[in-house]
């Protein structure tokens, strides 16, 4: 990292000289002219690191920001990696969302691929990430790139890489691509022709939509009434088309969030999990009246799916289901459909799935966080993770897919409605059968990433022996890996139950986020339920236990909850 002001200015001028984007050139030129060494130091402190999440960062000039120069280098590195793997004449499919610069980054990637001798195809317009994941396998591509920052703030963008199996990259591919990126020389040495790639037509989207039909049971009821928000993203047209094909009533789309808008003006963060993000959807549901059965939201690139259910007596009138709850509901639905194959989730998601699978004699696996791992489970039939990600058709899309998940949960709601029941009733059934699996999360966003490292070090040096009065019966430092998991930066605590407190068991997993400046702590408490009448008390017990665990984890890590 450059600390000498003159060296910083020289490095910035060198970057400026090869920057192909007039916008970021102007931005950087102003910083150089103003000799703003603090800002230049932040932008030239290193380079955005390419990893299993690809690239993700704030838009702007310089190697620590997302911009055309960084993307061209990433594309050139990916092309070199593919050629080294013997895929030098293969097809690379490129998708993109509606964020600032996404279309530019996609076109740059196509140009670099063609310049390197590969074939390239752009999706016809901004489309959901699962359409790109589908297109890779459908078209027999050797790789795919999705330009998206998913649910990150408006100022961010990202670059997600898939290989030919349709799954996101995992080690060692990430390190191999990163090494090739580091070896890229001056940008004027990277060929970028003005043409030569294909822009796909609507047939690829039609093929995806035809595939979505396969997740539903022919002849199943289809009368669910839905309020839907795409959260200013790219999901609306695809989801509405999928619903129409399936024969569901047209969803009531939240007007204020219907159109793609890279500034996401109605939300602080375009993530259905964030406080306030669903307020407009709930208002639309209240305005639509009592005939609305569920509320559905996609995140901006529509690979995640959020679900809310009526909650009479609450101010909003609706309650967001946790990702773990939706994951269990979809699993129960698939079991009822007599699905076969492996059910899988991640180490930070609810353990309820393991009990559902065991009760039906289905194989079950746990992986590290992320669909890059889940998608690679042998014989996968269904996977979910607590962060609103669900894979219900792994043969079609080997990634999370917010469109097909929305279809499947809507079908489940319709089947229950036909029997005079709701999603909430089914959750109660699962609690009585398998115990109430109550989950919560402590998520701390930081400006200074060293705070996360400090918290992880503190927990390792002074590991807790009890949380919320429950003894830590086992502690795993996941940097060591396990028999079934590769190493990762994380800590997992299993807590002994307390019959006196009415708790069967509990678990805590602590890890840094892989895509955002956050420390995340995932909490789960299991409370046995002896009868339907015992459910309210079980929920009270679980809520108190989760609050106490959250307080004690926060104290042990030295972070503010």
């Amino acid at each position: 990292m450059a600390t000498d002001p003159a060296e910083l200015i020289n490095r910035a001028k060198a970057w400026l000289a090869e920057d192909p984007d007039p916008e970021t050139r102007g931005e950087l030129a102003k910083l150089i002219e103003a000799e703003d060494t603090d800002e230049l130091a932040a932008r030239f402190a290193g380079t955005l690191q390419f990893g299993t999440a690809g690239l993700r960062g704030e838009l702007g000039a310089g190697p620590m920001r997302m911009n055309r120069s960084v993307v061209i280098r990433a594309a050139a590195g990916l092309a070199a990696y593919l050629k080294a793997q013997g895929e030098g004449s293969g097809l690379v499919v490129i998708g993109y969302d509606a964020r600032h610069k996404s279309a530019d980054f996609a076109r740059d990637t196509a140009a670099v691929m063609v310049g390197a001798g590969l074939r390239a195809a752009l999706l016809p317009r901004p489309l959901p990430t699962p359409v790109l994941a589908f297109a890779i396998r459908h078209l027999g591509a050797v790789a795919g790139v999705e330009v998206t920052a998913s649910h990150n703030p408006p100022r961010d963008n990202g670059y997600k890489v898939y290989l030919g199996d349709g799954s996101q990259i995992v080690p060692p591919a990430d390190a191999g691509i990163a090494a090739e990126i580091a070896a890229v020389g001056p940008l004027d040495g990277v060929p970028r022709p003005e043409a030569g790639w294909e822009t796909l037509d609507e047939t690829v989207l039609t093929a995806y939509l035809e595939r979505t039909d396969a997740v539903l049971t022919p002849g199943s009821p289809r009368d669910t009434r839905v309020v839907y928000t795409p959260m200013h993203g790219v999901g609306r047209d695809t989801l509405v088309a999928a619903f129409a094909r399936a024969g569901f009533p047209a969803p009531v789309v939240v007007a204020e969030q219907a159109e793609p808008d890279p500034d996401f003006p109605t939300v602080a963060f375009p993530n259905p999990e964030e406080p306030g993000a669903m307020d407009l959807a709930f208002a639309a549901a209240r305005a639509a009246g009592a005939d609305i059965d569920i509320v559905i939201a996609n995140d901006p690139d529509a690979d995640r799916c959020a679900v809310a259910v009526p909650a009479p007596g609450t101010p909003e009138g609706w309650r967001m289901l946790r990702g773990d709850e939706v994951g269990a509901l979809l699993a129960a639905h698939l079991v009822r459909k007599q699905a076969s194959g492996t059910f899988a989730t991640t180490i930070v998601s609810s353990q309820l799935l393991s009990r559902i699978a065991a009760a039906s004699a289905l194989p079950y696996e746990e992986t590290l966080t992320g669909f890059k791992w889940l998608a690679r489970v042998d014989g996968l039939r269904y996977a979910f993770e607590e962060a609103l990600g669900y894979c219900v058709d792994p043969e079609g899309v080997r990634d999370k897919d917010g469109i097909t998940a929305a279809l499947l949960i809507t079908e489940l709601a319709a089947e229950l409605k036909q029997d005079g029941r709701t999603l909430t009733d089914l959750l109660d059934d699962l609690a009585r059968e398998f115990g109430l699996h109550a989950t919560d999360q402590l998520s701390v966003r930081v400006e200074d990433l060293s705070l996360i490292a400090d918290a992880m070090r503190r927990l390792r040096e002074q590991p807790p022996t009890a949380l919320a009065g429950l003894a830590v019966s086992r502690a795993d430092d996941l940097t060591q890996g396990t028999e079934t998991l590769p190493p990762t930066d994380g800590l997992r605590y299993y807590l002994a139950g307390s019959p006196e407190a009415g708790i069967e068991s509990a678990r805590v997993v602590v890890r840094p986020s892989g895509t955002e400046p956050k420390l995340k702590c995932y909490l789960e408490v299991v409370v046995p339920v002896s009868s339907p009448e015992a459910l309210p008390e079980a929920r009270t017990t679980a809520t108190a236990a989760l609050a106490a665990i959250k307080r004690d984890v926060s104290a042990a890590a030295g972070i503010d909850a």
Side-chain angles (χ1 to χ4, degrees), residues 193-243:
E194 294 294 321
W197 57 87
E198 178 185 4
T199 299
L200 297 168
D201 60 21
E202 294 299 307
T203 57
V204 67
L205 179 60
T206 299
Y208 168 80
L209 288 169
E210 288 173 350
R211 181 78 201 187
T212 64
D213 298 346
V215 306
L216 302 175
T217 301
S220 63
R222 306 285 166 95
D223 63 341
T224 312
R225 295 289 301 171
V226 173
V227 163
Y228 168 69
T229 174
M231 205 69 69
H232 298 296
V234 298
R236 179 192 61 186
D237 291 351
T238 304
L239 182 134
V240 168
F243 269 52

Side-chain angles (χ1 to χ4, degrees), residues 177-435:
I177 296 169
E180 295 287 2
I181 294 171
V184 174
L187 285 192
D188 60 11
V190 178
R192 285 183 288 130
E194 294 294 321
W197 57 87
E198 178 185 4
T199 299
L200 297 168
D201 60 21
E202 294 299 307
T203 57
V204 67
L205 179 60
T206 299
Y208 168 80
L209 288 169
E210 288 173 350
R211 181 78 201 187
T212 64
D213 298 346
V215 306
L216 302 175
T217 301
S220 63
R222 306 285 166 95
D223 63 341
T224 312
R225 295 289 301 171
V226 173
V227 163
Y228 168 69
T229 174
M231 205 69 69
H232 298 296
V234 298
R236 179 192 61 186
D237 291 351
T238 304
L239 182 134
V240 168
F243 269 52
R245 288 181 63 93
F248 290 116
V252 177
V253 180
V254 177
E256 301 94 328
Q257 298 174 331
E259 295 295 330
D261 188 332
D263 293 319
F264 306 105
T266 67
V267 291
F269 290 95
N271 178 354
E273 294 178 292
E274 293 283 349
M278 296 291 288
D279 287 355
L280 287 171
F282 294 160
R286 290 192 298 271
D291 65 329
I292 297 299
D293 299 301
I294 57 175
V295 174
I296 288 175
N298 287 137
D299 67 337
D301 68 327
D303 61 353
R304 289 173 169 84
C305 176
V307 181
V309 295
T314 64
E316 295 84 4
W318 291 83
R319 179 177 82 85
M320 265 278 289
L321 297 181
R322 292 190 172 276
D324 287 319
E325 292 177 303
V326 177
L329 288 168
L330 291 174
H333 188 40
L334 289 168
V335 166
R336 186 176 174 186
K337 286 171 169 278
Q338 298 184 316
S340 61
T342 302
F343 281 31
T345 191
T346 69
I347 58 171
V348 302
S349 303
S350 173
Q351 299 164 98
L352 176 55
L353 184 65
S354 66
R355 298 192 179 187
I356 293 172
S360 298
L362 290 168
Y364 169 80
E365 281 198 33
E366 284 184 15
T367 72
L368 295 184
T369 306
F371 268 83
K372 57 184 175 284
W373 300 109
L374 286 169
R376 288 177 162 77
V377 169
D378 287 341
L380 182 67
R381 175 59 185 87
Y382 168 65
F384 91 91
E385 62 178 355
E386 51 71 44
L388 309 182
Y390 316 95
C391 175
V392 301
D393 177 27
E395 288 305 306
V397 175
R398 202 156 288 190
D399 197 4
K400 54 186 176 292
D401 182 346
I403 305 297
T404 50
L407 286 172
L408 199 60
I409 198 72
T410 303
E411 178 187 59
L412 173 57
E415 290 187 0
L416 291 165
K417 182 178 180 180
Q418 190 175 59
D419 296 334
R421 306 178 73 240
T422 66
L423 296 178
T424 302
D425 293 330
L426 181 52
L427 285 171
D428 290 350
D429 291 348
L430 294 174
R432 288 193 292 269
E433 183 174 358
F434 301 111

Side-chain angles (χ1 to χ4, degrees), residues 414-482:
E415 290 187 0
L416 291 165
K417 182 178 180 180
Q418 190 175 59
D419 296 334
R421 306 178 73 240
T422 66
L423 296 178
T424 302
D425 293 330
L426 181 52
L427 285 171
D428 290 350
D429 291 348
L430 294 174
R432 288 193 292 269
E433 183 174 358
F434 301 111
L436 176 64
H437 287 63
T439 58
D440 200 356
Q441 188 179 129
L442 170 62
S443 182
V444 182
R445 185 181 293 270
V446 300
E447 294 292 331
D448 181 357
L449 289 176
S450 69
L451 296 175
I452 294 176
D454 290 345
M456 296 299 290
R457 186 183 66 251
R458 190 176 292 111
L459 288 169
R460 288 188 170 103
E461 291 176 352
Q462 298 175 292
T465 57
L467 296 167
L470 303 174
V472 175
S473 58
R474 177 178 142 199
D476 299 331
D477 187 340
L478 299 174
T479 55
Q480 308 303 311
T482 71

Side-chain angles (χ1 to χ4, degrees), residues 98-121:
R99 284 177 177 266
H100 294 295
K101 298 289 183 181
S102 285
D104 294 336
F105 295 166
R107 281 193 296 270
D108 282 334
T109 299
V112 171
M113 294 302 159
V114 171
L118 289 107
R119 293 177 293 129

Side-chain angles (χ1 to χ4, degrees), residues 467-520:
L467 296 167
L470 303 174
V472 175
S473 58
R474 177 178 142 199
D476 299 331
D477 187 340
L478 299 174
T479 55
Q480 308 303 311
T482 71
E483 289 184 4
T484 57
L485 299 172
T488 188
D489 186 8
L491 296 163
R492 179 170 57 186
Y493 306 104
Y494 290 97
L495 309 183
S498 169
E500 300 79 14
I503 295 172
E504 178 185 314
S505 62
R507 189 193 63 181
V508 176
V509 181
V510 185
R511 60 180 282 272
S513 170
T515 57
E516 297 178 89
K518 287 181 175 180
L519 181 69
K520 291 190 169 183

